[in-house]
Amino acid sequence: MDSASLEPSLYTVKAVFILDNDGNRLLSKYYDPELYSSMKEQKNFEQNVFNKTHKADNEIAFLEGMTIVYKSSIDLFFYVVGSAQENELMLMSVLNCLFESLSQILRKNVERRCLLDNMEGVFLVVDEIIDGGVILESDPQQVLQKVSYRADENPLSEQTVAQHITEKLALTSNVLQSAKEQIKWSILK
């Protein structure tokens, strides 16, 4: 076995995808550009995974040299994919965080229709948990706080996204202004 493949890496997640109960893709993010680089390869992989797991009563599968953890809910299947050497507990913590965060966003109604109605929130959650294959967060409450989402709020709208972006830009502008002031005063001294 190649010693480089056994080196610890922050890039633990190779892919995340959500399929409906017919095996159709609702969401997918692949983080390894060398892993199934074309859409056709990705869909074939997803179909193989679905065929192996949709009737199984397990939580972990090994397929095509990948470790796959999965969970189902009503008419959805959630998958997190890592390399063969990846720690299943790490992948499972990502899966549980994803599922619990979405459960809160969808008000415990984790089903296809609700997921499709709140797709922008779903993408925000995935992006808060994983960035480029690196696990950023595994606590659902922290994820919900970061996406400014609470179960009693209205679904995420363009206005709340724009408000979030405006707040971030204002904060960045304040930081830049403060840095400019500090540089100006250090030069004047």
Side-chain angles (χ1 to χ4, degrees), residues 161-180:
V161 171
Q163 182 181 10
H164 183 69
I165 291 171
T166 303
E167 290 170 1
K168 293 291 184 187
L169 286 174
L171 181 62
T172 304
S173 178
N174 289 343
V175 168
L176 287 173
Q177 187 62 33
S178 175
K180 285 179 185 177

Side-chain angles (χ1 to χ4, degrees), residues 22-36:
D22 295 323
N24 299 316
R25 174 193 285 190
L26 301 177
L27 173 142
S28 74
K29 290 195 99 168
Y30 285 78
Y31 300 105
D32 187 348
E34 297 171 10
L35 178 70
Y36 311 113

Side-chain angles (χ1 to χ4, degrees), residues 141-156:
Q141 295 307 316
Q142 291 296 317
V143 170
L144 293 172
Q145 185 178 12
K146 287 179 182 177
V147 296
S148 300
Y149 223 117
R150 289 176 184 70
D152 57 346
E153 288 183 0
N154 292 329
L156 193 62

Side-chain angles (χ1 to χ4, degrees), residues 12-174:
T12 55
V13 178
K14 301 289 185 190
V16 171
F17 51 93
I18 301 173
L19 306 177
D20 66 11
N21 58 351
D22 295 323
N24 299 316
R25 174 193 285 190
L26 301 177
L27 173 142
S28 74
K29 290 195 99 168
Y30 285 78
Y31 300 105
D32 187 348
E34 297 171 10
L35 178 70
Y36 311 113
S37 55
S38 75
M39 181 77 72
K40 184 178 180 182
E41 289 175 322
Q42 291 175 4
K43 287 195 173 194
N44 284 339
F45 174 68
E46 291 166 12
Q47 197 60 51
N48 289 342
V49 170
F50 179 77
N51 289 338
K52 182 173 181 170
T53 62
H54 79 282
K55 291 183 181 176
D57 204 18
N58 303 323
E59 295 178 331
I60 301 172
F62 299 96
L63 184 69
E64 298 181 23
M66 298 288 151
T67 301
I68 304 159
V69 295
Y70 60 97
K71 179 182 276 198
S72 65
S73 171
I74 303 174
D75 58 354
L76 297 174
F77 289 84
F78 298 82
Y79 297 92
V80 176
V81 180
S83 69
Q85 297 83 13
E86 200 53 63
N87 184 332
E88 296 89 355
L89 294 175
M90 291 287 289
L91 297 175
M92 190 57 83
S93 71
V94 171
L95 179 64
N96 288 334
C97 181
L98 173 64
F99 186 82
E100 292 301 319
S101 298
L102 293 179
S103 180
Q104 290 292 320
I105 286 175
L106 302 175
R107 294 172 184 79
K108 307 280 186 209
N109 195 13
V110 184
E111 63 174 347
R112 184 180 191 274
R113 183 184 52 79
C114 290
L115 185 94
L116 291 174
D117 289 344
N118 295 285
M119 210 54 160
E120 62 277 342
V122 175
F123 277 107
L124 284 173
V125 165
V126 170
D127 289 342
E128 283 299 328
I129 297 171
I130 308 159
D131 184 25
V134 177
I135 301 171
L136 299 177
E137 187 61 66
S138 61
D139 179 11
Q141 295 307 316
Q142 291 296 317
V143 170
L144 293 172
Q145 185 178 12
K146 287 179 182 177
V147 296
S148 300
Y149 223 117
R150 289 176 184 70
D152 57 346
E153 288 183 0
N154 292 329
L156 193 62
S157 67
E158 288 181 28
Q159 181 180 5
T160 56
V161 171
Q163 182 181 10
H164 183 69
I165 291 171
T166 303
E167 290 170 1
K168 293 291 184 187
L169 286 174
L171 181 62
T172 304
S173 178
N174 289 343

